Amino acid sequence: MDKILLDHGSGGKLSHLLTTEIILPFFDNTILAQLDDGAVFAIDGRRLAFSTDSYTVDPIFFPGGDIGDLAINGTVNDISMCGAVPLFLSAGLIIEEGFPMDDLKRILASMQAAAKAAGIQIVTGDTKVVPKGAVDKIFINTSGVGSLRPDIRVSSGMAHIGDRIIISGSIADHGVTILTRREGLTFDAPITSDTAPLNHMVRNMFEVSTDIHVLRDPTRGGLGTALNEIAMKSNAGIHIEEKRIPVKDAVAGLCELLGFDPLYLANEGKLIAFVPGEQSEAVLEAMKQEPFGEDACIIGEVVDEHPGKVVMTTPIGGKRIVDMLTGEQLPRIC
Amino acid sequence: MDKILLDHGSGGKLSHLLTTEIILPFFDNTILAQLDDGAVFAIDGRRLAFSTDSYTVDPIFFPGGDIGDLAINGTVNDISMCGAVPLFLSAGLIIEEGFPMDDLKRILASMQAAAKAAGIQIVTGDTKVVPKGAVDKIFINTSGVGSLRPDIRVSSGMAHIGDRIIISGSIADHGVTILTRREGLTFDAPITSDTAPLNHMVRNMFEVSTDIHVLRDPTRGGLGTALNEIAMKSNAGIHIEEKRIPVKDAVAGLCELLGFDPLYLANEGKLIAFVPGEQSEAVLEAMKQEPFGEDACIIGEVVDEHPGKVVMTTPIGGKRIVDMLTGEQLPRIC
């Protein structure tokens, strides 16, 4: 392939290839090679997590949020998925010449509120303005640093046979919201992005069990792609049951109408956790205590079959292999 | 002002106003309010520096470097300017659909080489692909984390009367390189960007003296703007001598020809240090030992006059107030 395609940014199969075959060879080191949501390292014995994400979502304002809180929550969540407590964030703004000052203030206010809700501080930043046409409105990069307890180890490569797979709530809300908004569709049913900070939930989960094996927020590429990455990295077989996966009625209806599979649509306030069977109920209960986890449920488990693959039992009892997302469902979803 | 102007990204006066009057009020905290090149904080007693920068330079390839090594060196330097040792960097790529894969590989190779030269690791990343027209070719954000010794305190607010002001070499090389390249000008004289990592030089400077008061890399806005920010934040009077400021002949000639003032053109491999008089020669000598510091020299001092202002003695003995950059000399310089 001699050109970058939109699919390279899908979060799915081609993204994975771009990362592993083109980018990773240039920067090979054991920390980056983990390919988790963030990097974990120690400085003078103190374990830290560090993560970065650029946000290019279009439209920049959408039901349930905007590019500002999305950017804060996204990096808060990536650090949380390392098992760490997010503490300090950076904000890098790239703004198009002519961008309305009021829109900028609205986005900044949204970032401020999200930072407060997550309990983190934005401590450093950078603002670039580029000529009209060099960027579409505004892109935001956030990076963040968190503190990681010595006794916590989570990684996409640590799924164990017998682990129960918990999801914190309904899937595809963010993806469907952006999709419908971009297509100019409006509905009676209130469909809103699920963008939310998950750090408080994660803290409570670790209070119940430090033996959580995998934490992951299924953003770009959706639940299907995230589970595939975990299955591959852990060389583990994943079995899920379709009827247990929570999808809101309005979201399910729209996906059917428009021909999208909710398994591959982005979530921005959900996590999946792989937890040993005997601790799964306690962790599930801890999640349900949280406002962003009240619909948490167990959707499957890690099995001693089909290593590296995700298999889903359909409502009528059939079995289907869930592959990574191939092709781009929706560019600029986050 | 109801719209973002290009001048808001100049690194000069309007950038300063955007940061202090629009952005800062939303995220007010004592760390961010320092407005240094990076943030300094402690996690469990361990002092860290954290910095972010987005690179939007146009053209992406230029004599002496490209957007890749510029992005690595820039964040390495920002962390170094906090007095810290840069250790771990993130890389966030935003790529335009259709971008040539070979160009991407060339940029990645350049990032790899720059990381190696600086002795840092790229440990986490993010890649977004946006539809054609949503970004011009490629933008790169780098953020970084460094370790800071307990006995080092540098800040733009710490200039003291009697401090000597040292610059590590000639100014305006990067700015003139981008400018001429963008205008399609070619010359016999080799004019190249000065992009370089300054962390090794800073380490050697601190081996000579831990009493360095201010470190700063005069990037966007140039030497003139950086000195003004230090003068204002320290409420100190700065005096410099024009004839002492190193400017390469070819660079000076081009600036004269094109009507640019080298004082306001960007540098990407230079630092200024404010050092107590009695230690300035030792620090200067340490800088001269380094390949990127061999032309280091003292250009002025902090005086007990005109607090908050920068005054320059011209070659013929006149005095001129050096203001911050007003207006945009050159968008997308870095």
Side-chain angles (χ1 to χ4, degrees), chain A residues 60-61 94-105 107 127-138, chain B residues 1-9 14 18 331:
Chain A
I60 54 177
F61 300 107
I94 303 175
I95 313 173
E96 185 180 24
E97 176 188 15
F99 189 73
M101 193 65 88
D102 283 346
D103 284 355
L104 177 62
K105 288 181 184 169
I107 290 166
T127 306
K128 293 288 190 309
V129 180
V130 297
K132 207 155 182 62
V135 75
D136 183 24
K137 298 185 280 289
I138 184 168
Chain B
M1 210 141 350
D2 66 344
K3 283 188 194 304
I4 291 288
L5 310 176
L6 266 183
D7 293 357
H8 281 117
L14 215 51
L18 176 65

Side-chain angles (χ1 to χ4, degrees), chain A residues 6 54-60 67 94-97 99 130-140 182 331-334, chain B residues 56 93-99 128-139 332:
Chain A
L6 265 184
S54 299
Y55 297 85
T56 65
V57 66
D58 174 37
I60 54 177
I67 192 171
I94 303 175
I95 313 173
E96 185 180 24
E97 176 188 15
F99 189 73
V130 297
K132 207 155 182 62
V135 75
D136 183 24
K137 298 185 280 289
I138 184 168
F139 291 172
I140 300 178
R182 204 176 308 159
R332 298 183 64 188
I333 196 79
C334 60
Chain B
T56 65
L93 312 177
I94 304 174
I95 312 173
E96 185 180 23
E97 177 188 14
F99 189 73
K128 293 288 191 311
V129 180
V130 297
K132 207 156 182 59
V135 73
D136 184 22
K137 298 186 279 291
I138 185 169
F139 291 171
R332 297 183 64 187

